[in-house]
């Protein structure tokens, strides 16, 4: 376990970064884990707010000799973002993004997720060049630090080639904008030794013919081994040299506080297909002809990868039905900005495809859904394969590159290595067009030590790749995993150049020691991650971090990955006999891991192995819920109509007295009974709503179950509420909706399931399905729900009730009502907040259909995510909603809109609280527009 920091060291950190120093074990350990197979526990975590604080931190680090490591998205795979010293979290604050020159350039800070950048660029028909598989979670800081490339960019549009300039903080504390006209003069003035040294190294490399030959050969491929010494051939001025040398330097030369990129066209017209071959050898033999046909991407999947791909929920019937033996597949895609150009490309490729020895005829599709499914499978392959590993093992993902003409032999030799070292079920996939292979191993690192076979395998792998003139790291960075082999790949002279570069930039050696260059020949087999078996819900987690950008609590407490790794850390502490640490982590976990989890399930939408961390949290809530609470909530379920109306009357009473009274009363009750038991009343809460009533009709077209939320909370702006709006819309459209008898006692069960209140939930399971089966004529009629969270709740509640079909009211309106309605008044602009439930249910298109029918401009604001209100979480822990909505509220407040809409009453309250704007249900606005 990492020793505690001294008081003087802590004081120095706090002076450099006021309010940004974390030393709790829970904070240090949750951020210790990244996607790599290494694990070190930092002594402290620092979260600087801007470049000036980073400069102060670096000056302190240099003065005291305290090493530090930068971390952002935590998706790196080679151990470059772990440390037992200071860990600097740059994701929390560095999130500014500015689109320039109509999208042709973009200026962005290191904490911004790559997908968010591309979403901002999409309206301009542009995107960033690098397109790594982790684009949904990796951040720009990591993209620059690792010289990211990806599926289609090759070496032409990678980070190195598309970067224009950087805002750097040097270890000296100098802040340098390399895009400024006087950047070179400023570097010479502030850091003269660095300026002169870069010129000296440039001339040294250029003056050595062997160095020029080696560099030219190495960087004809994707290559992230060592420092990017190709910069010494490509650029002249020291400021330009430094810009490119920092790319791929893995935080060992300087901090990147901002980056300006030249963007590339986002080709809207594509043709994608999966070509299946009987053997891997046959697929590799087809490569020259396919490359000549000019596709943007050729992605390889070997037989083991195909078997995993078949389990992906987005796999089509053809892929699922393939009897995989020794098969291999190539995912190919052609891209163009013009449909005629694409048609010409595809026409030219068809004769080539026809000559290939395919298992089944080639099918190319331009359909968006089909393309998205194939790329979802490919991008999630690593985590999906790793997620299927035996419990307790660690997943290792390596990547190499060789000249394309050596690809077939390399694949065959790799398969031989797997067999010789008994690595069963190993998987090969990757970017075949670039000669870039990824392969996965499962290993058990007992006590954090590497078994002999892993060390032996690594040595033979190095011989294999370098023997083919390849590189040991193509995309994932040198990190710790290949640091001992940089000299072997580049030779003594270029290694000496790299060493001198490191000394010039970081003379104190404080930036990320042990990474990229290392004097320790065993650094790659030290501090290996062990993965204890903890809970069935989450044991398959590979700690990839894909879940983190969609988590509403990520800026408040913990993310799904962090909730899981803290459970692992608790188990490890207990196994090691450190019961004090285990208790400390468990005490912190109550609030950090359980109370502030929205259990919204958004993590499952991003997780390649479909883990819903909310399932774990619900079980933990069940385990800590006492008998009295279970009995009380079961009693509420038994008398739900009265309980629901009682809560509404309580809101009416609170709203009728001076606001200070209920605010003080709830604060006092929370102080005594706990914040997770008593909601905090605030004066912005609406009053109680109206009780639900049956609505009998003859020959109904559908059964309508209004949400309990309409009884609990009055509509916004004294509007009619969504239940009344839907009945009105149905009447206008000539559709008959039946609200069944006994509706007041019905609920989807979410208030109980989200809290782990199993007894009350079972009461609803016993009551509601039979009643709705009767009302729906044994499933002949759809059951319509007017709140997205309730639609999802009913879908789960009725899952075992036969053929009952649940439809969300917005989807029902889009297909059944809207075609029969006349829109008479349109809004000029509408800010739309989809909910976590609507997203998981796949309702986005229905929402947009209705919204576009009533507004000329529909905007889902930048920064959209789950609002974190999550039933009563926003009442129990309003800080969760405040943190979750901060980015979206900033975007909404940047301009006025004519309307504000969501599809759940609690989400409307949460967004109104965050923005000060009157959010209403989308169907209320449709009712206004068709009146």
């Amino acid at each position: 376990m990492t020793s505690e920091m001294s008081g003087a060291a802590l004081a120095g950190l706090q002076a450099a970064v006021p309010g940004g120093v974390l030393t709790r074990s829970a904070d240090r350990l949750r951020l210790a884990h990244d996607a790599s197979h290494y694990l070190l526990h930092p002594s402290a975590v620092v979260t600087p707010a801007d470049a000036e604080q980073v400069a102060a931190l670096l000056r302190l680090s240099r003065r005291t000799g305290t090493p530090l490591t930068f971390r952002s998205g935590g998706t790196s795979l080679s151990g470059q973002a772990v440390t037992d010293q200071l860990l600097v979290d740059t994701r929390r604050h560095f999130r500014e993004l500015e689109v320039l020159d109509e999208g042709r350039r973009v200026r962005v800070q290191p904490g911004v997720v790559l997908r968010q950048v591309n979403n901002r660029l999409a309206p301009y028909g542009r995107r960033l060049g690098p397109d790594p598989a982790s684009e949904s979670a990796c951040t720009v800081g990591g993209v620059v630090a690792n010289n990211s490339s990806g599926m289609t960019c090759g070496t032409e549009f990678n980070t190195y080639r598309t970067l224009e300039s950087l805002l750097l903080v040097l270890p000296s504390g100098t802040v340098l904008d390399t895009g400024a006209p006087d950047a070179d003069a400023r570097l010479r003035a502030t850091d003269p030794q660095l300026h002169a040294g870069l010129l000296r190294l440039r001339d040294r490399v250029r003056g050595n013919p062997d160095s020029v030959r080696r560099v030219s050969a190495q960087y004809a491929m994707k290559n992230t081994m060592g420092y990017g010494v190709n910069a010494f051939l490509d650029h002249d001025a020291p400021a330009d040299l430094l810009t490119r040398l920092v790319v791929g330097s893995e935080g060992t030369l300087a901090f990147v506080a901002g980056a300006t990129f030249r963007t590339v066209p986002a080709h809207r017209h594509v043709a994608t297909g999966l070509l299946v071959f009987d053997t891997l050898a046959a697929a590799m033999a087809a490569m020259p002809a396919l490359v000549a046909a000019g596709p943007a991407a050729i992605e390889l999947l070997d037989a083991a990868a195909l078997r995993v791909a078949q389990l992906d929920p987005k796999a089509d019937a053809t892929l699922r039905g393939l009897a995989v033996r020794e098969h291999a597949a190539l995912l190919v895609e052609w891209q163009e900005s013009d449909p005629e150009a694409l048609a010409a490309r595809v026409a030219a490729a068809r004769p080539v495809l026809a000559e290939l020895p395919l298992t089944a005829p080639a099918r190319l599709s331009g359909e968006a859904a089909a393309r998205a499914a194939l790329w979802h499978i490919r991008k999630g392959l690593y985590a999906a394969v790793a997620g299927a590993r035996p419990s307790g093992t660690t997943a290792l993902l390596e990547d190499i590159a060789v000249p394309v003409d050596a690809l077939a032999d390399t694949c065959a030799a790799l398969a031989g290595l797997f067999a010789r070292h008994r690595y069963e079920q190993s998987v090969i996939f990757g970017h075949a067009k670039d000669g870039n292979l990824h392969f996965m191993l499962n290993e058990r690192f007992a006590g954090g030590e590497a078994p002999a076979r892993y060390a032996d395998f690594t040595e033979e792998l190095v011989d294999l790749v370098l023997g083919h003139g390849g590189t040991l790291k193509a995309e994932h960075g040198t990190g710790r995993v290949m640091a001992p082999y940089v000299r072997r790949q580049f030779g003594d002279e270029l290694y000496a150049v790299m060493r001198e570069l490191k000394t010039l930039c970081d003379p104190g050696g404080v930036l990320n020691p042990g990474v990229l260059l290392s004097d320790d020949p065993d650094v790659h087999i030290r501090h290996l991650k062990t993965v204890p078996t903890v809970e069935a819900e989450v044991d398959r987690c590979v700690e990839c971090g894909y879940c983190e950008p969609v988590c509403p609590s990520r800026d408040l407490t913990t993310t799904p990955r962090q909730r899981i790794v803290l459970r692992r850390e608790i188990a490890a502490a207990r196994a090691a006999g450190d019961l004090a640490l285990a208790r400390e982590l468990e005490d912190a976990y109550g609030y950090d891991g359980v109370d502030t989890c929205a259990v919204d399930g958004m993590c499952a939408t991003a997780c390649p192995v479909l883990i819903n961390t909310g399932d774990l949290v619900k079980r933990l809530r069940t385990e800590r819920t006492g008998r009295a609470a279970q009995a009380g909530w079961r009693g509420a379920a038994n008398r739900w109509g009265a309980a629901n109306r009682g809560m509404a009357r309580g809101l009416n009473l609170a709203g009728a007295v001076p606001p200070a009274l209920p605010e003080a009363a709830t604060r006092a009750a929370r102080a005594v009974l706990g914040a997770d038991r008593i909601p905090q009343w605030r004066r912005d809460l609406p009053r109680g709503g109206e009780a639900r009533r049956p609505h009998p009709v003859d020959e109904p077209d559908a059964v309508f179950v209004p949400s309990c939320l309409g009884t609990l909370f009055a509509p916004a702006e004294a509007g009619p509420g969504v239940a009344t709006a839907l009945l009105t819309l149905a009447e206008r459209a000539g559709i008959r909706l039946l609200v069944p008898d006994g509706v007041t006692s019905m609920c989807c069960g979410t208030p109980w399931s989200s809290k782990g209140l199993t007894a009350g939930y079972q009461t609803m399971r016993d009551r509601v399905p039979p009643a709705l089966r009767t009302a729906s004529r044994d499933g002949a009629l759809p059951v319509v729900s007017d709140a997205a969270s309730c639609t999802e709740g009913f879908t789960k509640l009725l899952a075992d009730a036969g053929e009952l079909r649940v439809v969300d009211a917005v989807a029902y309106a889009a297909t059944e009502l809207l075609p029969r309605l006349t829109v008479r008044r349109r809004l000029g602009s509408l800010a739309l907040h989809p909910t976590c439930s609507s997203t998981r249910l796949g309702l986005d298109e229905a929402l947009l259909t209705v919204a576009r029918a009533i507004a000329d401009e529909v905007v889902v604001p930048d920064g959209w995510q789950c609002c974190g209100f999550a039933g009563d979480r926003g009442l129990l822990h309003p800080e969760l909603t405040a943190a979750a909505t901060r980015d979206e509220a900033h975007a909404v407040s940047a301009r006025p809109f004519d309307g504000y809409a969501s599809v759940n009453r609690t989400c409307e309250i949460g967004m109104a609280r965050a923005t000060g704007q009157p959010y209403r249900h989308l169907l209320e606005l449709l009712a206004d527009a068709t009146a």
Side-chain angles (χ1 to χ4, degrees):
M1 191 65 200
T2 304
S3 59
E4 293 185 2
M5 297 190 69
S6 69
L10 186 59
L13 283 178
Q14 290 171 338
V17 187
V21 182
L22 306 175
T23 58
R24 288 192 318 160
S25 296
D27 292 324
R28 294 186 295 103
L29 270 56
R30 68 183 171 86
L31 285 163
H33 294 249
D34 70 354
S36 77
H37 54 277
Y38 295 92
L39 180 61
L40 288 161
H41 294 144
S43 58
V45 176
V46 187
T47 57
D50 52 36
E52 286 69 29
Q53 288 192 355
V54 173
L57 181 62
L58 288 177
R59 286 191 292 268
L60 173 68
S61 176
R62 191 171 186 175
R63 185 171 67 251
T64 61
T66 305
L68 56 80
T69 293
F70 297 107
R71 171 200 169 112
S72 189
T75 59
S76 294
L77 293 161
S78 299
Q80 57 267 64
V82 298
T83 181
D84 57 1
Q85 301 294 321
L86 292 183
L87 186 66
V88 184
D89 178 10
T90 65
R91 186 185 68 172
R92 179 62 61 91
H93 295 297
F94 290 85
R95 295 184 185 170
E96 293 183 8
L97 190 164
E98 182 182 6
V99 176
L100 307 170
D101 300 338
E102 295 297 311
R104 290 186 294 276
R105 296 162 61 239
V106 63
R107 183 180 297 126
V108 60
Q109 290 188 325
V112 181
V113 174
L114 186 59
R115 177 174 288 181
Q116 294 170 343
V117 183
N118 286 334
N119 287 344
R120 286 284 295 276
L121 291 170
Y124 304 94
R126 311 288 293 184
R127 65 173 178 86
L128 288 181
D131 59 338
S134 58
E135 54 87 27
S136 66
C138 70
T139 62
V140 169
V143 166
V144 174
N146 294 319
N147 188 19
S148 293
S149 49
M151 310 282 186
T152 64
C153 71
T155 57
E156 184 180 1
F157 300 115
N158 63 10
T159 306
Y160 179 91
R161 296 294 178 191
T162 57
L163 185 71
E164 183 175 283
S165 65
L166 294 174
L167 181 66
L168 296 175
V169 185
L170 304 181
S172 63
T174 298
V175 179
L176 179 69
D177 181 356
T178 68
D182 64 344
D184 206 63
R186 175 167 167 72
L187 179 61
R188 184 169 57 246
T190 59
D191 295 77
Q193 289 185 323
L194 175 57
H195 187 277
L198 290 171
L199 290 174
R200 184 173 65 254
L201 290 179
R202 178 200 68 185
D203 295 342
R204 177 176 172 177
V205 173
R206 292 181 179 182
N208 186 314
D210 183 62
S211 292
V212 172
R213 179 190 61 78
R214 280 178 178 267
V215 169
S216 299
Q218 284 288 315
Y219 292 94
M221 303 175 287
K222 290 182 176 181
N223 192 343
T224 58
M225 273 291 279
Y227 291 116
V229 290
N230 54 323
F232 290 122
L233 302 184
D234 297 339
H235 297 277
D236 298 315
D240 293 332
L241 288 168
L242 185 59
T243 298
R244 295 315 188 284
L245 288 164
V246 166
V247 175
S249 66
E250 302 175 22
T252 63
L253 300 182
F255 172 64
V256 176
T260 302
F261 290 89
R262 295 181 298 276
T263 63
V264 301
H267 297 302
R268 301 181 186 277
H269 302 281
V270 299
T272 313
L274 191 67
L275 310 180
V276 181
F277 298 81
D278 287 346
T279 64
L280 181 61
M284 293 297 94
M287 283 297 299
L290 280 173
V291 170
I298 306 178
E299 294 292 304
L300 169 68
L301 292 81
D302 77 347
L306 278 174
R307 292 187 187 98
V308 174
Q310 289 178 310
L311 303 177
D312 192 290
K314 294 188 181 294
D316 65 13
T318 302
L319 178 56
R320 289 196 302 270
L322 179 67
V324 178
R325 292 181 292 276
E326 297 180 0
H327 294 81
L330 297 174
L331 192 164
V332 294
E333 181 168 285
W334 283 263
Q335 301 176 349
E336 293 291 343
S337 297
D338 177 82
E340 287 76 20
L342 178 66
R345 282 274 195 191
V346 172
R350 289 200 184 281
V352 175
L353 299 179
E355 293 297 319
L356 297 178
L358 300 176
T359 303
R363 295 181 299 128
L364 297 179
S365 173
E367 182 185 338
R371 175 185 187 261
L374 285 174
W375 281 111
H376 178 274
I377 291 168
R378 168 58 190 90
K379 290 183 177 184
L381 197 54
Y382 155 63
V385 172
R389 73 195 186 285
S391 180
T393 61
T394 300
L396 290 78
L397 179 65
E398 298 294 349
D399 82 308
I400 60 173
V402 295
V404 173
D405 59 9
L407 199 57
D409 290 344
T410 303
C411 285
L414 264 179
L417 277 181
F418 296 153
R420 187 156 57 253
H421 294 281
R422 303 183 313 282
Y423 282 115
E424 299 174 357
Q425 298 179 334
S426 295
V427 178
I428 299 174
F429 56 98
H431 318 308
K433 184 168 70 76
D434 303 309
N436 178 194
L437 295 176
H438 302 304
F439 60 90
M440 236 203 70
L441 312 173
N442 293 322
E443 187 57 273
R444 196 177 298 273
F445 295 130
E449 298 296 324
R453 72 163 179 172
Y454 175 64
D456 293 343
F457 172 87
T458 302
E459 289 296 328
E460 292 186 40
L461 171 69
V462 171
D463 289 340
L464 166 64
V465 175
L466 298 186
H468 282 298
T471 176
L472 297 168
K473 278 295 165 188
E475 293 186 315
H476 298 165
T478 310
R480 297 171 181 274
V481 72
M482 285 298 165
Y485 302 102
V486 175
R487 182 197 296 266
R488 193 159 153 193
Q489 178 167 319
F490 284 92
D492 291 342
E493 168 59 16
L494 285 173
Y495 186 76
V497 168
M498 293 182 188
R499 275 290 184 189
E500 185 170 346
L501 172 64
K502 169 67 172 174
T503 302
L504 280 169
C505 291
D506 180 24
V510 296
L511 292 186
N512 218 0
V515 166
L516 197 141
L517 301 179
S518 178
D519 293 325
D520 182 356
D522 296 327
V523 69
H524 63 306
I525 52 175
R526 299 188 193 280
H527 308 297
L528 297 166
K529 183 187 293 180
T530 58
V531 184
T533 297
V534 181
E535 277 115 355
E537 297 98 328
V538 297
D539 272 342
R540 63 189 184 279
C541 173
V542 294
E543 302 178 15
C544 66
Y546 286 16
C547 57
E548 293 193 334
V550 301
C551 178
S553 60
R554 70 178 187 274
D555 290 336
L556 179 65
T557 50
T558 56
T559 66
R561 170 168 61 179
Q562 292 166 8
R563 288 181 170 94
I564 291 169
V565 302
L566 283 172
R567 300 293 292 176
R568 290 174 173 171
E569 289 286 358
I570 291 169
R574 290 197 174 280
D578 194 342
L579 301 184
L581 174 61
R583 283 193 295 270
E584 180 187 351
L585 293 176
E586 287 173 337
D587 289 345
Y589 199 87
Y591 177 75
D592 293 354
V594 179
D595 292 352
T596 53
C597 178
V599 295
D600 63 345
M602 287 300 291
C603 49
T605 68
C607 177
V609 292
L610 305 179
I611 294 173
N612 184 344
T613 313
D615 292 340
L616 167 65
V617 172
K618 289 176 185 178
R619 181 171 60 77
L620 295 176
R621 288 176 180 171
T622 298
E623 291 175 359
R624 75 178 192 183
T625 300
R627 292 182 179 179
Q630 288 279 9
W633 277 90
R634 181 175 56 203
N638 287 330
R639 297 175 295 278
W640 184 236
N644 200 18
R645 290 193 300 274
M647 288 184 280
R649 292 191 188 103
L651 285 173
N652 286 333
L653 177 60
V657 301
L661 292 178
E663 286 177 340
T666 52
R667 275 198 303 269
R670 285 162 64 85
V672 174
L673 299 175
D676 205 54
R677 294 184 178 181
I678 305 299
Q680 175 64 57
W681 187 89
R682 287 172 43 165
R683 59 192 68 195
D684 60 3
L685 278 176
R687 295 199 176 198
E690 297 294 328
R692 296 176 291 174
R693 295 180 175 83
H695 180 73
V697 296
D698 295 328
E699 299 182 11
D701 298 297
V703 176
F704 172 35
V705 184
S707 170
C708 315
L709 294 172
T711 297
L712 182 58
F713 296 116
E717 292 189 328
V722 61
T724 299
L726 180 59
L727 289 170
T728 300
L729 289 167
E731 184 177 353
R732 289 175 188 164
I735 297 293
R736 295 176 296 277
L737 296 182
L738 167 70
V739 178
D741 291 334
V743 68
T744 57
S745 63
M746 293 184 188
C747 181
C748 67
T750 300
W752 293 269
S753 64
S754 66
K755 294 176 176 293
L757 297 163
T758 53
Y761 187 73
Q762 186 60 49
T763 297
M764 285 298 165
R765 290 197 66 169
D766 293 340
R767 176 191 303 151
V768 175
L772 290 183
R773 173 170 290 283
T774 299
S776 67
R777 310 323 192 237
D778 286 327
L781 304 176
V783 176
V784 179
S785 168
D786 63 1
S789 62
C790 300
T791 305
E792 187 173 29
F794 277 123
T795 300
K796 295 175 181 176
L797 190 73
L798 304 178
D800 298 325
E803 299 300 319
L804 296 183
R805 182 166 60 97
V806 181
V807 181
D808 187 78
V810 177
Y812 191 76
T815 58
E816 305 300 325
L817 305 184
L818 195 56
R820 298 177 170 89
L821 297 171
T822 301
V823 174
R824 294 182 170 84
R825 290 189 299 275
R826 293 176 61 84
L827 298 171
S829 59
L830 174 65
L832 179 63
H833 174 82
T835 71
C836 51
S837 291
S838 68
T839 300
R840 287 196 307 273
L841 290 167
L843 296 176
D844 287 356
E845 279 305 311
L847 266 65
L848 290 172
T849 297
V850 174
R852 288 167 180 161
I854 62 173
D856 297 330
E857 179 190 15
V858 178
V859 176
V860 177
D862 292 332
W864 172 87
Q865 67 168 26
C866 168
C867 70
F869 209 93
D872 63 359
R873 286 295 106 182
L875 301 175
L876 297 169
H877 299 287
E879 68 276 16
L880 173 60
T881 297
T885 56
R886 187 174 295 119
D887 289 345
E888 184 176 359
H890 178 75
V892 171
S893 302
R895 55 160 290 190
F897 291 89
D898 297 322
Y900 303 84
S902 188
V903 288
N904 223 76
R905 186 67 188 106
T906 52
C907 301
E908 296 161 26
I909 296 170
M911 288 307 302
R913 177 176 288 180
T915 64
Q917 300 297 339
Y919 274 76
R920 300 171 63 193
H921 196 286
L922 183 59
L923 295 187
E924 290 187 72
L925 299 184
L926 179 61
D928 290 348
T930 57

